[in-house]
Amino acid sequence: MIVYIDLIIISTVITDYAILKIIKEVWKEKIKIYRLILSLLVSIINIFLFIFPFKHLIILRYFSGILIPTICFKYKTLKDMIIKIVTYYILNIFYIGTIIVFNITSFMMLLLALLFVVVSYLIESYRYITINENKYIYKVVIEQDIYNAYLDTGNMMYYDGIPVVIICNKYFNSNIYKYISYMKVSSVGSNSLIDIYSGPPIKVDNNEYIVYYTFNNINYDIILHKDIR
């Protein structure tokens, strides 16, 4: 059997690039170009571990794949790193399994198999995200106006012991919301100041809550505090 090393390298690079891009899209990551290039270089080096007739090098090949997602992404926690590494391996296994099941041999069919894996995983990931996200969508009322609100369990901001709710900038009305002060909030690796406003109570599922407000450029009308359920 003739093995074309150039086609193997090309298909491997395309496959790993696609898998890394899937991980990037699902987790909304940013990839530095130099990290991506280094990851793909490791992927190419892994190919040559199969060529040399040394048993231990072949075994090493299966573990060296850990380096590819590890180099490509930055990680905030060990859990985050493990999840992305496992996802990388699962997608590789899924792809190889598709090739074996359908007995794929041509280069074009390999690309179609990769496309099948990519689309299948993205559909399933976004379905899961959408289902879980919809659990936290509420209709809320401020005075007589109805808004779509997202319950963010990570919003733990308090001002003077009272929860702070985030409203989209476009709904700011100086006749309703009165500036009272500002406060410092901490995010990943930085601190920032936000303005705090008083306003009318917010109604969620016929329950009324006294809150403070801050305004920001957000995707929802309102982001609720974790204490509002």
Side-chain angles (χ1 to χ4, degrees):
M1 182 178 68
I2 299 175
V3 178
Y4 295 96
I5 190 64
D6 55 339
L7 291 181
I8 293 175
I9 292 174
I10 291 171
S11 62
T12 300
V13 169
I14 292 174
T15 300
D16 278 342
Y17 175 78
I19 290 174
L20 293 172
K21 289 289 284 185
I22 289 175
I23 296 172
K24 170 188 177 296
E25 290 300 322
V26 171
W27 274 276
K28 307 300 181 184
E29 295 279 359
K30 292 182 179 179
I31 301 180
K32 299 285 187 180
I33 187 64
Y34 74 89
R35 284 179 171 269
L36 179 60
I37 293 172
L38 285 175
S39 298
L40 296 177
L41 285 175
V42 172
S43 179
I44 294 171
I45 292 171
N46 284 346
I47 296 172
F48 292 96
L49 294 178
F50 277 121
I51 297 175
F52 296 106
F54 300 109
K55 181 180 179 180
H56 296 299
L57 285 178
I58 295 177
I59 295 174
L60 181 63
R61 166 68 172 89
Y62 296 104
F63 293 98
S64 59
I66 294 173
L67 293 174
I68 296 172
T70 301
I71 293 171
C72 190
F73 302 103
K74 285 186 176 181
Y75 300 100
K76 301 179 181 70
T77 63
L78 178 62
K79 179 182 177 182
D80 183 42
M81 180 177 73
I82 292 173
I83 290 173
K84 288 184 176 65
I85 290 172
V86 170
T87 301
Y88 171 81
Y89 273 93
I90 288 174
L91 287 172
N92 263 291
I93 292 169
F94 188 15
Y95 176 56
I96 294 169
T98 302
I99 293 172
I100 294 173
V101 169
F102 293 101
N103 193 27
I104 295 172
T105 55
S106 71
F107 184 71
M108 288 303 299
M109 290 302 294
L110 285 173
L111 293 179
L112 287 176
L114 177 61
L115 180 62
F116 169 73
V117 171
V118 169
V119 172
S120 299
Y121 186 79
L122 285 176
I123 290 173
E124 179 61 22
S125 296
Y126 282 114
R127 184 186 71 85
Y128 176 81
I129 291 170
T130 301
I131 289 174
N132 280 275
E133 189 176 73
N134 287 338
K135 292 179 182 178
Y136 299 99
I137 301 298
Y138 292 83
K139 293 290 185 181
V140 304
V141 178
I142 300 177
E143 292 195 322
Q144 303 302 316
D145 296 319
I146 300 174
Y147 302 89
N148 290 317
Y150 177 71
L151 174 60
D152 183 3
T153 56
N155 179 9
M156 297 180 285
M157 294 187 296
Y158 295 91
Y159 182 78
D160 285 346
I162 296 175
V164 176
V165 168
I166 307 170
I167 304 184
C168 185
N169 284 328
K170 65 182 179 181
Y171 296 115
F172 177 75
N173 185 331
S174 59
N175 294 322
I176 299 175
Y177 306 101
K178 303 300 181 181
Y179 176 81
I180 56 173
S181 186
Y182 64 88
M183 64 179 284
K184 181 185 293 186
V185 295
S186 298
S187 57
V188 179
S190 65
N191 296 314
S192 59
L193 298 177
I194 60 171
D195 293 328
I196 301 296
Y197 296 81
S198 63
I202 188 169
K203 295 180 181 178
V204 183
D205 292 339
N206 296 319
N207 296 315
E208 192 170 270
Y209 299 87
I210 302 298
V211 300
Y212 284 117
Y213 298 92
T214 188
F215 291 84
N216 209 327
N217 185 24
I218 55 177
N219 294 327
Y220 296 94
D221 295 340
I222 295 174
I223 294 181
L224 298 173
H225 191 275
K226 71 178 186 66
D227 289 347
I228 301 177
R229 295 174 182 264

